Amino acid sequence: MRSTPHQPGASSALLATRPWVVGLLLVFAVGFGLRALHVAALADGLSGPILVQDSRFYHERALQLIAPGETRAGEVEFTHVGYPYFVAAIYRLAGPRPVAVLWVQALLGSLAAVCLALAVRVTLSRDGPAIVAGLAYALYNGAIFYDGLLLTPSLVNSLLAAAWLALALGFRSGRVPAHVAAGVLLGLATLVRSNTAILVALLGLVLVLLPAATEGRGRRVRALALLAGAALPVLPFVALSSVEAGRFVPLSANGGMNFWAGNNRDAEGIYYQAPFLERLDVVGERDGYVDEARRRSGDASLDVTRAGGFWLREGLREIRDAPRRWVAIEARKLFLFWNRYEAKTNVGLEFAKHVSPVLRFNPLGFGLLAVLGVAGGVALYGAGERRIVPTAAAVGGSALITCVAFFVSGEYRHPLGLALCAGTAGLIAIASRLRRGELPRAPLAGLLVSGLLVSVPFAPLAVACHPRLDYSNHALALFDRGGRDAEAYEQALSLLDRGRQRLGPDLLLARAEFSLCKQVALERFDREAVGCALRIASQVYSTALADEISRYSAPALTSIAESIRAGLVELSRHDVVFEDSRLRREVALLGANDFLEIFAALEGGSVDAAREFADEALLRAPEHPQLLALAGRTLLAEGNEPDGVTKLLRGFRAWPPSSDAAFFLGEYFYESGDFDGARAALEEALRRDARHHRARFLLEQVVSASTTP
């Protein structure tokens, strides 16, 4: 399958033959048909597009841009400046309807498949391989998935596919304008997602260093043409914004934060949820990182740009302090980059499969595409069709560099899909050799290696990609987007019910339903909603959370427990509960008052009252750590030492870790004369809560008693 020599000016033959045109129409029809079915499934199954986290920010930002008199001159964007303008342009034409953006992206994604097919044909001068590559992108699950989300990857890949075609025409003809056009498209992609600048640099190197990929004019001239074209959309935007602001304004300010998130001492190679972030949306991340940077640096004047610099330095410091750990993380990122999962930062592919039959029954996911694309790429190289390799390597390499520098994310990795689809063009060469009875050893080796890499298990990635969190996020988003009325409430509960039917009982779904019921109870004085919230709280506190860490992760379980407790406190202070003695009692029995009722009864010498309250509370929350510890303390006060110690130990080991449970256990050991046990338990209490003053005071007594002859 060797190509005929490329001829300058041969781009006019792109649509020369009827079979080729029919093939292109097939690529477009398959691509758009699948994307149309997917968008329709989202609209039907989720009552509209998924608007959570970043997608919700882009929607709201676009609404601001089209609002009369709205101006944000000189403002520093925390993330991806260009995409909201794309969304706003569609909103101006079609009204503020997110689904209109998805239809445009479905069209652009289908055209991206056509552009890729054209680029491969221009490069290889073969119809068959080009159609295979175009169909691969038309069918690719990851491309269909992102084309159905209000997120940047869809538009970025569409621009990259068009740039690839322009670059292929430039490679073939040697004309500078084609390189300028490719640069402009890459510059627009950089405005949409700033890490595309890495690809611009790599393609510039390809033009300069690889003469086999270029013909005609000088390599440096065309590299400069590409860079100049890329600068055309970017530099004016940065310059005007900087002049208006009176200081340098970057395209986005979150690079330092993302660098720290992917390289800090607790990083795992995928997105790291910083413990100081209270909200996982764009605004919550921006404010959380800026506030934490101010706290750590002691500089209250830090703005978002300088905070980005602070987090970059923090990341470099942590690398310097533990270089071996960092090398291990980087090695893990290399493996995770090829994993079959779409590592999510916003919405998971596994959740979308529950809604869209197109995704659920489509076998061409990243795992299969990686195997076929690598094998085909190796076959192309071995067959002498090497012109396509430098561009594909640059596109895939830019995604790899981004993931290794920051963290592995399906959104960061998405451009690799284009390179792998281009690689599938070599499958025809493999098939041809097999028909001749030849064994293509190198492609088969590539297939084997890539197959092993996509299959490497990584438990945290499987947990992060589980659809439970997406069900929860989208249910809450449906409620907010629907105006928080009765219909929106029912739609949100219905989605959570669907999640339980597919996933079984789930704590994250329970937390989302608790939040919905609590909000309705507080906003509408709805006692039935209060009962719903209390029922769910009882379910959570009836679960041994310590046994669920492998399914949810320790931070997630802590967050669940803390959000339930905070919601109960809110309910206890609201008139709908406060004015109803029965509800007030029920909320207290679930720990809205931190079981002060038991404390007060014990301190007042009323052990029977403490025991009565504890027994009644244990019927509703038998796994609550603090309640178990207090019930144990009550039993000890009654003289029932065996059962009391058992309850204390259960409370000590329960999740989330309770400092009071550790303190009560230390108190028991101290009174029993076991100073070593008391010291260990009290030190654990202070580890759990450094401000536990009673534990600190008693520990001083233990130390004094244990050192006194």
Side-chain angles (χ1 to χ4, degrees), residues 140 142 146 153 157 160 193 195 333-344 349 365-367 370 395-403 407-420 453-454 461 465:
Y140 176 38
Y146 284 115
N157 266 27
L160 293 188
R193 200 168 189 109
N195 62 290
K333 290 177 187 177
L334 289 173
F335 279 98
L336 292 178
F337 181 74
W338 286 100
N339 199 279
R340 67 187 182 278
Y341 281 107
E342 283 290 320
K344 72 171 185 177
L349 176 59
F366 181 83
V395 172
S398 67
L400 176 61
I401 291 171
T402 302
C403 289
F407 49 83
V408 176
S409 154
E411 295 181 35
Y412 285 152
R413 188 180 69 176
H414 191 44
L416 177 64
L418 281 170
L420 292 172
L453 287 174
V454 299
L461 186 57
C465 292

Side-chain angles (χ1 to χ4, degrees), residues 83-256:
Y83 189 69
Y85 287 89
F86 167 75
V87 176
I90 297 172
Y91 283 0
R92 284 192 183 277
L93 295 173
R97 298 184 302 121
V99 72
V101 179
L102 303 192
W103 283 111
V104 171
Q105 290 182 170
L107 176 63
L108 292 177
S110 308
L111 292 174
V114 172
C115 285
L116 183 62
L118 287 167
V120 172
R121 186 178 189 271
V122 168
T123 306
L124 301 181
S125 298
R126 296 288 188 273
D127 292 358
I131 295 300
V132 170
L135 282 175
Y137 195 76
L139 290 165
Y140 176 38
N141 239 8
I144 298 170
F145 168 62
Y146 284 115
D147 287 343
L149 295 176
L150 204 73
L151 293 171
T152 60
S154 171
L155 181 58
V156 169
N157 266 27
S158 296
L159 290 167
L160 293 188
W164 195 332
L165 173 58
L167 200 58
L169 292 170
F171 279 4
R172 180 165 183 163
S173 68
R175 293 175 179 172
V176 169
H179 293 81
V180 174
V184 169
L185 290 164
L186 291 169
L188 292 173
T190 303
L191 285 176
V192 175
R193 200 168 189 109
S194 55
N195 62 290
T196 308
I198 297 171
L199 176 58
V200 177
L202 291 179
L203 288 173
L205 288 175
V206 166
L207 289 168
V208 170
L209 299 178
L210 297 178
T214 63
E215 301 169 7
R217 283 185 178 270
R219 288 172 280 158
R220 293 180 182 177
V221 171
R222 280 179 287 167
L224 289 174
L226 181 80
L227 297 177
L232 284 176
V234 174
L235 291 185
F237 184 91
V238 173
L240 288 174
S241 298
S242 298
V243 169
E244 290 169 344
R247 66 189 190 286
F248 174 70
V249 175
L251 287 180
S252 65
N254 67 346

Side-chain angles (χ1 to χ4, degrees), residues 224-379:
L224 289 174
L226 181 80
L227 297 177
L232 284 176
V234 174
L235 291 185
F237 184 91
V238 173
L240 288 174
S241 298
S242 298
V243 169
E244 290 169 344
R247 66 189 190 286
F248 174 70
V249 175
L251 287 180
S252 65
N254 67 346
M257 292 77 164
N258 285 340
F259 180 80
W260 178 84
N263 296 281
N264 71 80
R265 66 172 63 91
D266 296 318
E268 295 185 312
I270 56 178
Y271 176 75
Y272 170 74
Q273 180 180 331
F276 51 80
L277 294 179
E278 297 180 0
R279 292 168 49 194
L280 291 182
D281 55 20
V282 173
V283 175
E285 283 196 350
R286 180 196 64 198
D287 294 346
Y289 272 109
V290 171
D291 290 345
E292 183 68 9
R294 290 170 177 169
R295 186 189 70 80
R296 293 191 185 190
S297 66
D299 184 356
S301 68
L302 283 182
D303 60 11
V304 67
T305 303
R306 292 171 58 209
F310 169 84
W311 287 109
L312 175 62
R313 293 188 295 274
E314 282 289 284
L316 292 172
R317 180 185 61 79
E318 297 208 23
I319 292 172
R320 184 182 65 249
D321 292 345
R324 290 184 179 178
R325 177 204 55 82
W326 177 74
V327 170
I329 291 174
E330 296 304 287
R332 178 183 289 172
K333 290 177 187 177
L334 289 173
F335 279 98
L336 292 178
F337 181 74
W338 286 100
N339 199 279
R340 67 187 182 278
Y341 281 107
E342 283 290 320
K344 72 171 185 177
T345 49
N346 284 278
V347 180
L349 176 59
E350 299 305 311
F351 168 67
K353 285 180 179 179
H354 285 197
V355 181
S356 171
V358 172
L359 300 181
R360 188 160 61 250
F361 298 113
N362 184 352
L364 190 58
F366 181 83
L368 180 58
L369 179 63
V371 170
L372 297 178
V374 170
V378 172

